[in-house]
């Protein structure tokens, strides 16, 4: 019989990853080599010939499988089945070219069942006679398995390539942060941002106490069109209730308070106590979570262009919930991005906030640079391997 595919952990060759397992690149190369080897073996026999022998073998196997139960025994029906089997098998063998490889195997199989009475052992002898022809069918099966393995190996290598790209970006960012001026006066950025964040949080707390739930939901709806304003949209049932029911004129804190009232007490405030409890009481977590955080600026801040756009998108929302003093605080934040020193200060702020003690050590002793070099080399090898025309 033909050589079966080795298990996946044996296909990657002698070289393996640091944990003893083959790397995605090694698995890809091994899968491609295995397929090429099988393709060469098929070509040595001539692919048309292999197809012809394999097809004849599979037809013969199907006949034996179909008739093994029906053609054994002494009954009339068994004899009729035997006549059918012999006729079909003889027709199969007669239709084969005499110079077809393993032609003799088919003749031997026919001879094994050329009896007036058949037993299961006769069918077994016929199968054994067909084994030389089975090798051709095995070649085609092995090729399909190798193609599947190669496709899976390419998928794994592509996934690894994406991971390597992310790791390269992370090392490059670390090196960028390593060059930051850690003594830079980052408070020039921190103080206006903290001042604005504190002001907008206080303004939103007051806004929740004064604005109707319907008005707040209008604010959330408007945020759909502003990518930097990340408010979660309310559940559909709650949104419909607030917009269509008179209870939507209450503030969110009032609705949350009413949801805890008994039904008899609640009937003094709304038309349907059950409807309020069904829509409000079940969404307390969402309603409690509506706050100023989507309108705050993170620390450390983002690059200048993103900060400018964020402040521009925040402005109409801040103007709606707060007074001019808070809008002025936001304007001061936006102007930070126009400072000629912003990039230097922002990078320094990122470095101070993001670099752990371990990362600082790895940067100091050169490990990050070494890792980056290795990752870039791995990326190049993976890209080269994946660019090879897939022989599938």
């Amino acid at each position: 019989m033909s050589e079966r595919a080795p298990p996946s952990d044996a296909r990657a060759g002698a070289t393996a990853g640091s944990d003893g397992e083959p790397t995605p690149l090694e698995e890809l190369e091994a899968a491609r080599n295995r397929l090429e080897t099988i393709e060469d073996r098929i070509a040595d026999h001539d692919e048309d010939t292999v197809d012809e022998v394999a097809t004849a073998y599979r037809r013969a196997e199907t006949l034996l499988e179909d008739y093994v139960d029906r053609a054994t025994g002494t009954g009339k029906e068994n004899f009729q089945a035997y006549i059918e089997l012999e006729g079909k098998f003889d027709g199969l063998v007669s239709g084969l070219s005499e110079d077809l490889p393993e032609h003799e195997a088919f003749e031997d199989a026919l001879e094994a069942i050329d009896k007036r009475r058949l037993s299961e052992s006769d069918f077994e002898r016929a199968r054994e006679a067909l084994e030389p022809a089975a090798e051709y069918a095995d070649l085609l099966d092995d090729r399909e398995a190798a193609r599947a393995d190669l496709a899976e190996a390419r998928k794994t290598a592509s996934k690894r390539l994406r991971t390597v790209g992310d790791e390269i970006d992370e090392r490059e960012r670390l090196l960028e942060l390593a060059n930051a001026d850690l003594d830079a006066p980052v408070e020039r950025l921190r103080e206006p941002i903290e001042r604005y964040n504190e002001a907008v949080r206080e303004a939103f707390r007051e806004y929740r106490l004064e604005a109707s739930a319907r008005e707040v939901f209008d604010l959330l709806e408007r945020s759909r069109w502003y990518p930097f304003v990340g408010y979660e949209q309310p559940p559909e049932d709650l949104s419909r209730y607030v917009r269509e029911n008179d209870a939507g004129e209450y503030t969110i804190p009032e609705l949350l308070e009413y949801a805890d009232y008994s039904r008899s007490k609640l009937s003094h405030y709304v038309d349907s106590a059950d409807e309020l409890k069904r829509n409000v009481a079940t969404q307390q977590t969402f309603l409690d979570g509506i706050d100023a955080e989507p309108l705050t600026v993170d620390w450390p801040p983002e690059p200048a262009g993103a900060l400018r756009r964020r402040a521009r998108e925040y402005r109409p929302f801040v103007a709606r919930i707060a007074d001019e003093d808070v809008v002025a605080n936001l304007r001061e934040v936006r102007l930070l991005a126009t400072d000629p020193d912003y990039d230097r200060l922002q990078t320094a702020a990122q470095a101070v906030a993001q670099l752990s003690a371990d990362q600082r050590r790895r940067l100091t002793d050169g490990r990050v640079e070494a890792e980056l070099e290795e990752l870039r080399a791995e990326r190049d090898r993976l890209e080269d391997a994946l660019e090879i025309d897939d022989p599938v």
Side-chain angles (χ1 to χ4, degrees):
M1 300 292 286
S2 64
E3 181 180 345
R4 291 295 184 182
S8 59
D9 60 353
R11 296 180 191 171
T15 305
S18 59
D19 59 355
E21 294 295 322
T23 66
L25 177 61
E26 291 165 347
E27 290 182 339
L28 175 59
E29 291 173 342
R32 180 173 285 116
N33 290 337
R34 176 172 173 255
L35 179 56
E36 290 176 353
T37 298
I38 295 173
E39 291 279 15
D40 289 343
R41 291 173 60 191
I42 291 175
D44 288 342
H45 291 287
D46 180 73
E47 181 157 356
D48 289 341
T49 298
V50 173
D51 284 337
E52 187 175 356
V53 177
T55 298
Y57 167 75
R58 287 165 177 156
R59 288 176 58 197
E61 270 289 300
T62 299
L63 285 172
L64 295 176
E65 183 66 27
D66 288 347
Y67 283 92
V68 64
D69 293 325
R70 292 189 288 152
T72 53
T74 58
K76 181 177 180 181
E77 292 182 356
N78 300 120
F79 181 74
Q80 181 63 38
Y82 157 70
I83 295 298
E84 291 178 6
L85 169 62
E86 185 180 39
K88 291 179 180 179
F89 210 101
D90 182 69
L92 168 63
V93 176
S94 299
L96 299 177
S97 172
E98 291 188 1
D99 60 356
L100 186 71
E102 313 307 340
H103 184 278
E104 185 176 347
F106 292 96
E107 291 181 328
D108 291 345
L110 176 60
E111 183 177 348
I113 61 171
D114 188 14
K115 297 180 177 181
R116 292 185 60 82
R117 179 178 176 182
L118 293 176
S119 65
E120 290 187 7
S121 62
D122 296 319
F123 280 85
E124 186 58 35
R125 282 195 296 274
R127 290 193 178 94
E128 291 175 356
L130 288 171
E131 285 185 358
E135 294 187 12
Y136 291 78
D138 288 342
L139 276 176
L140 298 183
D141 291 342
D142 288 346
R143 181 171 64 179
E144 288 306 307
R147 285 173 171 173
D149 287 346
L150 179 55
E152 187 62 29
R154 287 179 63 85
K155 185 187 303 182
T156 301
S158 296
K159 182 178 180 180
R160 174 57 185 167
L161 181 59
R162 291 191 294 272
T163 300
V164 168
D166 292 340
E167 292 181 0
I168 287 173
D169 291 343
E170 188 264 340
R171 267 64 168 193
E172 289 177 341
R173 180 57 176 162
L174 285 180
L175 289 174
E176 181 182 339
L177 294 177
N179 296 323
D181 179 6
L182 299 182
D183 295 324
V186 297
E187 63 275 5
R188 284 169 49 189
L189 304 183
R190 185 195 301 273
E191 291 175 359
I193 289 174
E194 289 182 345
R195 188 161 50 246
Y196 163 73
N197 284 343
E198 183 179 350
V200 78
R201 288 185 179 114
E202 178 58 31
F204 202 96
R205 282 191 289 268
E206 295 177 1
Y207 175 73
R208 275 176 58 100
L209 294 173
E210 299 172 359
S212 69
R214 189 173 301 155
E215 180 181 342
V216 175
F217 276 31
D218 286 341
L219 188 80
L220 303 187
E221 173 67 24
R222 185 177 183 184
S223 73
R224 289 177 180 270
W225 312 107
Y226 293 80
F228 280 95
V229 184
Y231 278 109
E232 180 184 354
Q233 295 302 306
E236 185 175 342
D237 289 346
L238 177 61
S239 178
R240 185 182 306 110
Y241 177 74
V242 167
R243 295 185 184 286
E244 298 177 0
N245 195 286
D246 289 343
E249 293 299 323
Y250 289 116
T251 67
I252 288 176
E254 287 173 334
L255 288 177
L256 290 171
E257 181 183 351
Y258 295 161
D260 290 331
Y261 285 2
S262 66
R263 283 176 170 75
S264 59
K265 183 177 180 179
L266 188 55
S267 64
H268 297 293
Y269 298 90
V270 295
D271 293 336
S272 173
D274 288 338
E275 193 174 4
L276 185 141
K277 285 185 172 292
R278 184 171 63 252
N279 287 283
V280 176
T282 59
Q283 297 296 338
Q284 290 189 34
T285 300
F286 172 79
L287 292 168
D288 280 331
I290 301 174
D291 56 25
E293 291 311 303
L295 296 175
T296 59
V297 176
D298 289 338
W299 181 264
E302 56 208 324
L307 182 61
R308 282 195 299 269
R309 183 177 176 188
R310 180 178 299 278
R312 185 166 59 248
E313 291 194 9
Y314 280 5
R315 190 184 185 287
F317 293 86
V318 174
R320 187 166 177 173
I321 68 167
D323 59 25
E324 180 56 34
D325 288 342
V326 183
V327 175
N329 292 148
L330 177 61
R331 187 181 305 114
E332 186 178 359
V333 170
R334 181 178 62 81
L335 290 175
L336 291 174
T338 66
D339 188 325
D341 284 339
Y342 180 84
D343 290 343
R344 179 173 69 90
L345 297 175
Q346 188 260 354
T347 300
Q350 292 276 347
V352 171
Q354 294 181 9
L355 287 179
S356 66
D358 177 67
Q359 288 171 331
R360 291 175 186 270
R361 286 192 297 269
R362 287 167 53 220
L363 284 165
T364 301
D365 62 22
R367 274 181 290 167
V368 171
E369 289 185 343
E371 292 167 3
L372 180 58
E373 184 177 348
E374 291 177 3
L375 287 166
R376 285 171 173 167
E378 182 181 0
R379 178 188 61 189
D380 292 343
R381 291 193 298 269
L382 284 166
E383 288 177 342
D384 289 344
L386 288 167
E387 284 177 2
I388 296 175
D389 288 337
D390 189 350
V392 175

